[in-house]
Amino acid sequence: METSLKAAARSTPHSVKRWQLNGTDYDPQPGRSVRAETRFSAWTPLVNKQSNQQLFEERISLLLHWFDLWSDRQRKHLLHALLTRCTKSQLKYCRDWLIETVPVTRVDFTAVLPRFLSLYVMSFLTPRDLCSAAQVSWHWRVLAEQDCLWAGRCVKRGWFLPYCPGEKDYGAWKNHYVSCVSTLDWLTPREAAERYGTLNRQTAGTTEEEEEREKERRIRQMIRERLQEEKSLSLRTRRAWGSNTQPGGTRSGYTQRERPGPGVTFSSWPSLSWPPSLGGSPSLCLSLDKGQSMSAALSMERNQVSNPTRPPPLHTASPIRRSSPVLLLLVSNRIPAYELVLSGVKAGVAVVLYDHRGTLPALLAQVERALSRQTAQRLGLLAPGGTEEIRLLHSSSLSERTLLTPDLREFWEKLCGWVALTEEGGGVDIFSPLAASASGAALIRTLSTLTGLEVRAPMGLATGSFQNILSEWSDGSVCDGLANRRVCEEAVAPALQYVCESVLQGWCRQAQWLEEALGDLRGLLGPQLQRVGLEARGRALGHFLWERMCLEDVCVSKGLTEALTEGIAALTRQEETRPLEFLSVFLTRWSKEKEGGETDGEEESREGGGGGEAVFLTPSSSQRCFSPIPELPQTVLDWRGAVARELHHSEGLYLGRLGAVLKVYHEPLTAALNSNRAILSFAHIHMVLSPVSHILELNRLFQLELEARLERWGAEQCIGDVCVKLCSKLRVYTNYLNNYPTALRTVDKCRETNPAFRAFLKRTDRTLATQMLSLQELLLCPAWRVEEYMTLLQALSVHTHPGHPDHTHLSSALNTLLRYREFIQKLKRNSERDRLMEETQQMIQGCPNLCEGNRQLIMTQDAALLRSPGEDIPDSLRTYEHVSDVGLFLFSDALVLTQRSVCHTAFTLAHRSTHTFLASVALASLAVREITHTRYVSHAFVLQGPIRSWVCATERGEEKEQFLSALRSAIHTAVTGQQ
């Protein structure tokens, strides 16, 4: 034995002797002494456990090192050798560890899931698939032949068991189903008719009877329609109670033209739901002659109603003077302060206020109801948009690329089919500056070609919220003479045909601020009306004083301010016919009484008005309201010069606002920090206000270069390279916009937690130095300015000839700004989506987490949850009871149903709604079915989920159409995966 071991040791260079492999399991033979037990303890200590453990760990490390150096085949060979030497308990430990580390991915779900879930899964299989599943295993056969899976299939087809199965009767319904299918006799329709007489064959007598009934039904329907028309006509034109019409057509001393009757409200006041519907005369009562009575007009209209096929006489003397056809104005509810626009709509204009979240078919139906079979003279569209596209609806944008898509093409063909022809003065007026860009002009041409109508749009030569509507339009022309004054006015400002000039001007200039005021008004219903009104008036006053009076140039000492205040107060207390002389005498007396006041005022003015003794700001050259560029002689066609001057003028206003941020906020906060009286920390000041200084430095250089070019302005002068230089440094704006949400949150957090900063904002916000704007509004100016840059550069590019040396640089700068606008719009969409999801999450109580993935809220709808007492009753006779109010929240991938509760406040008209989570259904597994309108239920529909269904109803048909249209579109997108 020893000889063989020695031979093996000599043959293998790294052989290990058998006594070395015994390790701690080495058992000395009986009879050996202790000395023999510790013979090899120098290498393998048996008595010292610590040394033994240390040696074991060293050998394990060595073995693992070798294992890392081996190949995959060698590793598998070692594992196989080790596992074959393991005991059962050791193998079980390896199995459990492997199952925990590498879980099984394919497992029999019937062995893991509960029995009722396995049966629920199998209930979706067809009978053929159930029979195939029964062949998988014995356990699957037991589940696949359960009576609960086959009883419903048999009963649905009218196959009933002739006996009641016992408790241990196994597979009775399946056997009955198989026997019924195997013995089923299939008959063709003709064979079934010959056997049962069910073929739909009509005799001659039956056809004649049905024709008579159909004819009688048509006659009764025609009579009902004519009676309804006469009734509605009499209601619209009836006189007031107790009124008497005099023979001369006057009443109570007023002529018919001076004071129209009650019917005038139908046409003179703009209405959203009652547009003119009588032939071509929307203003019937206003168009009567002075000497004609109302009865003549009524008799003519009744004759037209009683004989609708008879055309009216063309050349007969009629007491009615037909007014111009109605104008149609489409207004989106996404327009800021649309209530003000609706209040200024002129008489004879049919207004359609549509929901921005709706669909194109729903909008067409709403327009059709508003026109009521009448042709519109012109079509006006007031929707959010820019120089390249119009955001007609939330899911539909009108641009040069999307105009020829099937949906938009069909929409515009149907919509413009209700507008008069171009020869009759018909056309389309789009209240967006499409004519300011090449793609917008191409959109106008394509839309005109598609519809065959004249399309007009503003040229975008004015900056501001919506002031481009009041600027020149695409077909503006110069008109001379008094006779053509009205035609010229309509060509220059077509919007004035729809809305009163005063209302439109006020809305265009203050739309953004009015939207804030009206938004708060809608949400709070009046409690904060006074504060919001003061803020809106303060902003308007601030703009006027800053842009018109340029008060930043006025340096007035404190003493002179007090003197002027006292003088004006004394002037208001007395009735003076010569106020200027009174004020001069008062100031003279004031100077004599206040000795040394004038000297002090001069010293303060020499010192620059430092400290708090002067009411002024020393502006930089970039903050001047009026451009130092002299007004050069401008020809009629010098559009480039007009746009360049507008760019320079608006740049000065923009720099004034940015300078106000540094002057009013940054410098005082930094000074307080340096004087160890910190209001904000250095990190907060740097995060919120420092990015503004970088933008201000960049735009000051841009203004100086632009000013130098305008001083030498000529036909060949170029400013495109200056714009390209600005666009090459847009990274400053990118950093600012990425940091903008964080800056706003920082300002809000510091305002809530820091009383000193709260008091500082209260002193400085909405003052003359900040142009009556707050810090948050001033921080939004860079995002607004990028939009203005794009509009002005588009207008400049359109009016620059392709051969001009400036055309290449302008095109490059414009393309850069267009790409940058997409980046800003993406930031806005993400912010709006997050805000809506957070508000919805807070609104619904007990709702799971909604902020997952790219989920978006499409729309919400209030509805009533209905329940039918019997499902076997026909749909035409089925009644429903109102169970509760529900809220339907439609997301991009799911529909959430909530139980809505309305709580009214005592002694007020206010109320609030609370939502409690009820259920959620994935759109891919949701089916929608409309319920036919009956005398028992209206505007109802069924939402069919995989487990249960809900019967809901809306209050109005328009709401149902909009919601179902949006729901079907979302379901189609969720199923097909297409946007």
Side-chain angles (χ1 to χ4, degrees):
M1 184 67 181
E2 293 180 355
T3 305
S4 61
L5 288 174
K6 291 179 180 180
R10 285 193 300 267
S11 61
T12 305
H14 297 289
S15 61
V16 181
K17 296 180 179 181
R18 186 177 300 277
W19 57 266
Q20 297 175 351
L21 296 177
N22 291 335
T24 57
D25 297 335
Y26 175 72
D27 186 14
Q29 297 180 0
R32 290 190 178 185
S33 62
V34 178
R35 182 179 179 182
E37 295 179 5
T38 59
R39 179 182 177 182
F40 304 106
S41 60
W43 193 356
T44 307
L46 300 178
V47 179
N48 192 346
K49 294 184 179 180
Q50 182 177 1
S51 301
N52 190 5
Q53 183 66 23
Q54 181 179 0
L55 183 61
F56 176 76
E57 292 176 356
E58 291 175 358
R59 291 177 178 177
I60 286 294
S61 301
L62 181 61
L63 180 61
L64 293 178
H65 175 68
W66 291 344
F67 189 85
D68 294 336
L69 298 178
W70 291 341
S71 64
D72 181 74
R73 182 179 180 182
Q74 292 173 341
R75 293 179 180 181
K76 292 179 179 178
H77 182 70
L78 175 63
L79 292 175
H80 181 267
L82 290 176
L83 293 176
T84 54
R85 292 174 179 266
C86 293
T87 62
K88 290 186 179 180
S89 62
Q90 296 168 352
L91 290 176
K92 290 181 180 179
Y93 170 79
C94 294
R95 181 196 62 186
D96 297 338
W97 183 83
L98 287 174
I99 291 176
E100 182 180 357
T101 306
V102 186
V104 180
T105 56
R106 296 180 181 179
V107 66
D108 185 3
F109 70 93
T110 60
V112 177
L113 296 178
R115 183 185 180 89
F116 73 95
L117 287 181
S118 301
L119 293 175
Y120 176 73
V121 173
M122 288 188 173
S123 65
F124 293 97
L125 300 179
T126 61
R128 186 183 297 274
D129 294 335
L130 283 174
C131 294
S132 301
Q135 301 175 8
V136 174
S137 63
W138 177 87
H139 183 60
W140 279 51
R141 179 181 179 182
V142 172
L143 294 176
E145 293 184 355
Q146 292 295 318
D147 291 341
C148 61
L149 299 178
W150 295 94
R153 305 174 190 272
C154 294
V155 173
K156 183 178 179 181
R157 292 165 175 80
W159 303 336
F160 297 93
L161 278 176
Y163 64 95
C164 181
E167 296 181 358
K168 298 182 179 181
D169 195 353
Y170 179 73
W173 284 98
K174 177 187 177 181
N175 297 332
H176 183 62
Y177 184 92
V178 173
S179 62
C180 291
V181 170
S182 59
T183 58
L184 186 63
D185 295 332
W186 295 92
L187 299 177
T188 62
R190 186 170 298 278
E191 293 175 349
E194 293 176 355
R195 178 174 299 183
Y196 304 106
T198 59
L199 190 62
N200 188 13
R201 296 179 180 177
Q202 297 181 352
T203 60
T206 305
T207 305
E208 293 179 359
E209 291 178 0
E210 291 187 354
E211 289 180 355
E212 290 294 335
R213 286 197 298 269
E214 182 66 21
K215 183 176 180 180
E216 182 180 357
R217 189 187 63 81
R218 287 197 300 268
I219 293 175
R220 292 181 180 275
Q221 182 67 19
M222 187 181 301
I223 293 174
R224 283 195 298 268
E225 291 178 356
R226 291 179 180 177
L227 290 176
Q228 186 68 21
E229 290 179 359
E230 290 186 4
K231 182 179 179 181
S232 60
L233 178 63
S234 61
L235 289 176
R236 287 195 297 266
T237 57
R238 66 180 181 179
R239 303 182 184 91
W241 181 264
S243 61
N244 295 319
T245 304
Q246 299 178 2
T250 62
R251 181 174 56 192
S252 302
Y254 294 93
T255 61
Q256 186 69 19
R257 183 180 298 273
E258 293 173 352
R259 184 177 180 181
V264 72
T265 58
F266 177 72
S267 57
S268 60
W269 289 93
S271 175
L272 301 180
S273 58
W274 294 349
S277 59
L278 295 178
S281 177
S283 302
L284 176 63
C285 298
L286 288 177
S287 60
L288 294 177
D289 286 338
K290 189 172 184 179
Q292 299 296 332
S293 62
M294 186 75 71
S295 59
L298 293 179
S299 61
M300 173 172 288
E301 292 297 325
R302 288 175 179 174
N303 290 334
Q304 293 293 331
V305 173
S306 61
N307 191 6
T309 59
R310 177 183 176 183
L314 298 178
H315 303 286
T316 57
S318 174
I320 299 180
R321 294 188 306 178
R322 298 290 181 182
S323 61
S324 60
V326 66
L327 299 176
L328 177 63
L329 178 61
L330 304 182
V331 181
S332 172
N333 64 348
R334 283 294 298 272
I335 290 295
Y338 61 86
E339 294 90 344
L340 184 61
V341 179
L342 298 180
S343 66
V345 174
K346 292 184 176 180
V349 178
V351 184
V352 175
L353 177 64
Y354 66 91
D355 192 355
H356 184 74
R357 303 168 299 175
T359 58
L360 295 177
L363 179 56
L364 281 176
Q366 194 172 355
V367 172
E368 185 177 6
R369 286 192 298 270
L371 288 177
S372 185
R373 303 178 184 178
Q374 190 176 4
T375 302
Q377 177 67 25
R378 296 193 69 87
L379 170 65
L381 177 59
L382 181 56
T387 56
E388 292 184 338
E389 63 178 4
I390 304 171
R391 291 179 287 278
L392 187 62
L393 295 172
H394 175 74
S395 59
S396 178
S397 296
L398 178 63
S399 62
E400 184 184 4
R401 303 187 306 271
T402 61
L403 176 60
L404 298 181
T405 56
D407 295 337
L408 282 174
R409 184 187 184 99
E410 181 182 3
F411 169 79
W412 281 102
E413 288 177 352
K414 291 183 178 180
L415 182 63
C416 294
W418 297 324
V419 183
L421 300 177
T422 306
E423 295 79 9
E424 302 174 1
V428 180
D429 300 324
I430 301 177
F431 293 63
S432 294
L434 296 177
S437 64
S439 58
L443 173 61
I444 293 177
R445 291 192 297 268
T446 307
L447 185 59
S448 178
T449 304
L450 177 64
T451 60
L453 300 175
E454 177 191 15
V455 182
R456 300 185 294 188
M459 300 179 68
L461 300 182
T463 57
S465 53
F466 292 90
Q467 295 189 33
N468 51 70
I469 297 176
L470 299 176
S471 64
E472 291 79 10
W473 283 54
S474 57
D475 61 343
S477 58
V478 179
C479 300
D480 297 326
L482 297 176
N484 296 331
R485 180 175 298 175
R486 180 175 179 273
V487 178
C488 180
E489 179 183 356
E490 293 180 356
V492 174
L496 299 181
Q497 303 178 33
Y498 302 87
V499 187
C500 297
E501 182 177 2
S502 58
V503 176
L504 186 61
Q505 287 182 353
W507 175 78
C508 289
R509 292 169 180 162
Q510 298 292 332
Q512 297 294 343
W513 314 129
L514 290 173
E515 171 61 19
E516 179 185 355
L518 291 175
D520 293 343
L521 205 62
R522 299 187 198 106
L524 303 177
L525 295 178
Q528 299 180 356
L529 176 62
Q530 184 177 4
R531 179 184 63 83
V532 177
L534 289 175
E535 291 178 0
R537 290 195 296 270
R539 292 191 186 99
L541 179 61
H543 280 282
F544 172 74
L545 294 178
W546 188 270
E547 298 180 7
R548 297 298 180 185
M549 299 184 64
C550 288
L551 290 184
E552 78 279 6
D553 295 334
V554 181
C555 299
V556 181
S557 64
K558 184 177 181 180
L560 183 56
T561 304
E562 294 178 358
L564 290 175
T565 303
E566 293 291 339
I568 295 175
L571 182 61
T572 56
R573 290 192 295 267
Q574 300 182 13
E575 297 180 359
E576 291 290 338
T577 58
R578 307 173 71 178
L580 293 179
E581 295 183 3
F582 174 82
L583 190 59
S584 63
V585 173
F586 181 87
L587 292 177
T588 303
R589 294 177 182 176
W590 178 276
S591 62
K592 293 180 180 179
E593 295 176 357
K594 303 291 183 179
E595 296 180 359
E598 184 178 355
T599 306
D600 296 339
E602 293 176 355
E603 292 177 357
E604 291 171 359
S605 62
R606 285 195 300 268
E607 293 175 1
E613 299 296 328
V615 186
F616 76 104
L617 286 174
T618 304
S620 61
S621 59
S622 63
Q623 298 178 7
R624 300 292 180 184
C625 290
F626 294 101
S627 173
I629 305 302
E631 291 294 335
L632 300 178
Q634 177 179 341
T635 61
V636 178
L637 300 178
D638 189 17
W639 294 112
R640 295 187 72 249
V643 178
R645 287 178 177 82
E646 176 65 24
L647 178 60
H648 180 267
H649 173 72
S650 57
E651 188 71 17
L653 300 178
Y654 173 57
L655 291 178
R657 295 178 179 177
L658 294 183
V661 174
L662 299 182
K663 188 73 176 179
V664 179
Y665 297 97
H666 188 271
E667 294 181 3
L669 292 175
T670 305
L673 181 64
N674 296 333
S675 62
N676 294 329
R677 296 180 179 179
I679 300 177
L680 283 184
S681 63
F682 175 78
H684 290 161
I685 296 175
H686 181 75
M687 181 183 299
V688 176
L689 301 176
S690 294
V692 180
S693 61
H694 303 314
I695 296 179
L696 184 61
E697 181 181 357
L698 173 64
N699 283 83
R700 278 177 178 171
L701 296 177
F702 173 68
Q703 191 201 28
L704 291 177
E705 295 178 356
L706 187 63
E707 183 177 330
R709 301 295 176 89
L710 288 178
E711 288 177 352
R712 303 185 302 271
W713 183 256
E716 299 297 326
Q717 184 61 267
C718 299
I719 62 174
D721 54 341
V722 181
C723 299
V724 170
K725 184 178 179 181
L726 176 66
C727 293
S728 64
K729 300 179 180 179
L730 286 178
R731 183 179 295 274
V732 177
Y733 278 84
T734 303
N735 297 334
Y736 176 83
L737 293 175
N738 288 331
N739 184 65
Y740 174 67
T742 306
L744 283 184
R745 288 193 296 267
T746 303
V747 172
D748 295 337
K749 182 179 179 180
C750 293
R751 185 182 180 277
E752 293 177 0
T753 59
N754 193 343
F757 183 63
R758 189 185 309 120
F760 174 78
L761 289 181
K762 190 174 183 180
R763 291 194 308 268
T764 55
D765 275 352
R766 295 186 175 90
T767 58
L768 181 59
T770 63
Q771 303 184 27
M772 293 298 176
L773 300 176
S774 63
L775 176 60
Q776 291 83 352
E777 293 166 347
L778 289 173
L779 294 178
L780 188 57
C781 290
W784 291 346
R785 188 56 183 169
V786 173
E787 295 287 341
E788 294 180 355
Y789 280 148
M790 190 186 61
T791 302
L792 291 173
L793 285 184
Q794 284 176 334
L796 194 61
S797 177
V798 168
H799 297 292
T800 301
H801 193 269
H804 197 277
D806 200 22
H807 186 269
T808 303
H809 291 96
L810 287 176
S811 300
S812 177
L814 183 58
N815 293 333
T816 304
L817 285 177
L818 289 176
R819 292 192 298 269
Y820 199 76
R821 184 185 65 171
E822 295 179 357
F823 165 71
I824 296 178
Q825 291 178 351
K826 183 179 180 180
L827 292 180
K828 291 181 180 179
R829 288 194 299 267
N830 294 338
S831 177
E832 182 70 15
R833 181 189 63 186
D834 296 341
R835 184 185 63 83
L836 287 178
M837 295 301 294
E838 290 178 0
E839 292 179 355
T840 306
Q841 185 75 53
Q842 296 175 1
M843 184 187 306
I844 305 175
Q845 301 176 4
C847 182
N849 186 20
L850 296 176
C851 302
E852 297 178 352
N854 296 324
R855 179 176 296 155
Q856 299 180 9
L857 178 62
I858 299 177
M859 69 176 300
T860 60
Q861 179 63 51
D862 294 337
L865 184 62
L866 307 180
R867 181 177 61 187
S868 177
E871 298 295 336
D872 53 346
I873 304 176
D875 293 341
S876 59
L877 301 177
R878 185 179 300 176
T879 60
Y880 295 87
E881 59 178 350
H882 187 175
V883 179
S884 63
D885 294 331
V886 294
L888 305 176
F889 293 81
L890 178 59
F891 296 92
S892 56
D893 60 344
L895 177 67
V896 176
L897 289 86
T898 62
Q899 186 174 0
R900 181 169 56 93
S901 302
V902 180
C903 302
H904 291 78
T905 306
F907 303 104
T908 61
L909 297 177
H911 66 275
R912 60 185 181 90
S913 299
T914 58
H915 295 266
T916 305
F917 179 76
L918 189 62
S920 63
V921 186
L923 294 182
S925 60
L926 182 65
V928 184
R929 178 174 60 87
E930 296 188 40
I931 296 179
T932 307
H933 180 81
T934 63
R935 60 185 300 181
Y936 304 107
V937 65
S938 59
H939 316 315
F941 52 92
V942 180
L943 301 175
Q944 183 67 45
I947 301 178
R948 56 167 301 185
S949 61
W950 300 269
V951 180
C952 303
T954 59
E955 293 185 0
R956 297 185 302 164
E958 295 84 355
E959 296 178 350
K960 172 188 172 183
E961 294 176 1
Q962 294 177 1
F963 178 74
L964 292 186
S965 179
L967 179 59
R968 291 191 176 104
S969 178
I971 291 176
H972 176 73
T973 303
V975 172
T976 60
Q978 300 176 358
Q979 297 294 334

